């Protein structure tokens, strides 16, 4: 991974983990807990791809496993987020451009459901049956709902920041357009194209004025 990718991913993961442990985990909501760390992994994976997504997911999950008040075996959530990051990276849009919010929102829901099921499956393999007592169906439903409600306020911003760390000409100008397009019209291309059209019109008007002034001077 590039240095700028690594730096941004580390900062976002640490911030998400602190908010997760100190704020979201103490809300005492029914069912699951909103998973901000999962949304960070999904947002970065949709920009960086499946390989980087798997690495980011593993690192984020391992930090979660080691951070207090973790009450499960180390490596359990690391494996879950590694798989989720890899799978989310496979859904990376072609050329890094988003045309609508449907695809990333679908990825968020699938990631929330998949991470809950994978976590429960790994727990069953190691003898942790806590999910059975809480109710796996309720955990899956509430996890999907909470993450879906939180996603529009976090994932577009995460993806916009991730695109700014890219050096290719396609990713840089489209970062802000994706975030604003998700929250407004649902497209990531209109704002950029409108700005480009305005710039062309201004340039043409200036050229026309310059030609008129030169013609008047000659007369």
């Amino acid at each position: 991974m590039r240095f700028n990718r690594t730096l941004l991913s580390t900062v976002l993961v640490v911030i998400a983990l602190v908010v997760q442990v100190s704020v979201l985990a103490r809300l005492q909501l029914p069912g699951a807990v909103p998973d901000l760390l999962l949304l960070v992994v999904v947002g970065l994976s949709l920009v960086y791809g499946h390989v980087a997504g798997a690495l980011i997911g593993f690192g984020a999950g391992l930090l979660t496993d080691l951070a207090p008040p973790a009450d499960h075996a180390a490596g359990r959530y690391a494996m879950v987020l590694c798989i989720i990051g890899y799978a989310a990276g496979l859904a990376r849009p072609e050329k890094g451009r988003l045309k609508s919010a449907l695809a990333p929102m679908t990825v968020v829901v699938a990631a929330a459901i998949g991470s809950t099921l994978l976590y429960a499956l790994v727990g069953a393999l190691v003898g942790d049956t806590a999910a059975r007592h809480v109710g796996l169906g309720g955990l899956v439903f509430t996890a999907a709902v909470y993450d879906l409600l939180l996603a529009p306020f976090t994932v577009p911003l995460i993806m916009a920041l991730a695109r700014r760390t890219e050096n290719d000409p396609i990713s840089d100008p489209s970062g802000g357009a994706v975030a604003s397009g998700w929250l407004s019209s649902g497209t990531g291309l209109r704002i950029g194209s409108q700005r480009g059209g305005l710039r062309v019109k201004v340039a043409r008007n200036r050229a026309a004025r310059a030609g008129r002034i030169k013609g008047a001077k000659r007369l």
Side-chain angles (χ1 to χ4, degrees):
M1 293 176 62
R2 301 173 183 174
F3 175 76
N4 49 7
R5 287 186 177 186
T6 304
L7 179 61
L8 177 64
S9 301
T10 302
V11 171
L12 291 179
V13 166
V14 171
I15 293 175
L17 182 60
V18 172
V19 175
Q20 184 78 32
V21 174
S22 60
V23 179
L24 297 179
R26 299 183 179 182
L27 293 179
Q28 297 182 351
L29 297 173
V33 176
D35 198 341
L36 181 59
L37 204 62
L38 174 69
L39 297 180
V40 170
V41 172
V42 169
L44 294 176
S45 300
L46 287 174
V47 177
Y48 294 151
H50 59 283
V51 176
L55 294 175
I56 295 171
F58 179 81
L62 187 60
L63 285 178
T64 305
D65 292 331
L66 299 177
D71 56 351
H72 54 270
R76 180 176 173 183
Y77 201 51
M79 185 179 69
V80 172
L81 284 188
C82 181
I83 298 174
I84 294 299
Y86 183 87
L90 294 176
R92 179 186 180 186
E94 185 179 359
K95 296 182 180 181
R97 294 185 177 183
L98 286 174
K99 296 183 179 180
S100 69
L102 179 61
M105 294 298 279
T106 303
V107 173
V108 167
V109 174
I113 296 175
S115 63
T116 305
L117 293 177
L118 283 174
Y119 189 81
L121 177 61
V122 176
L125 294 177
V126 298
D128 184 1
T129 59
R132 297 180 181 178
H133 302 288
V134 178
L136 183 59
L139 287 177
V140 171
F141 177 76
T142 52
V145 171
Y146 295 155
D147 291 345
L148 186 61
L149 293 176
L150 187 60
F153 304 100
T154 55
V155 177
L157 178 60
I158 293 169
M159 294 182 67
L161 292 174
R163 290 179 188 278
R164 290 184 180 275
T165 64
E166 298 292 271
N167 296 323
D168 59 281
I170 294 180
S171 298
D172 287 340
S174 63
V178 170
S180 58
W182 188 330
L183 297 177
S184 56
S185 61
T187 63
L189 302 176
R190 294 184 179 178
I191 295 178
S193 60
Q194 289 176 356
R195 290 179 179 175
L198 291 176
R199 291 177 180 176
V200 172
K201 291 181 180 179
V202 171
R204 289 179 178 176
N205 291 336
R206 291 180 179 176
R209 292 177 182 176
R212 292 174 184 175
I213 293 174
K214 290 181 179 180
K217 290 182 177 179
R218 292 177 181 177
L219 296 175

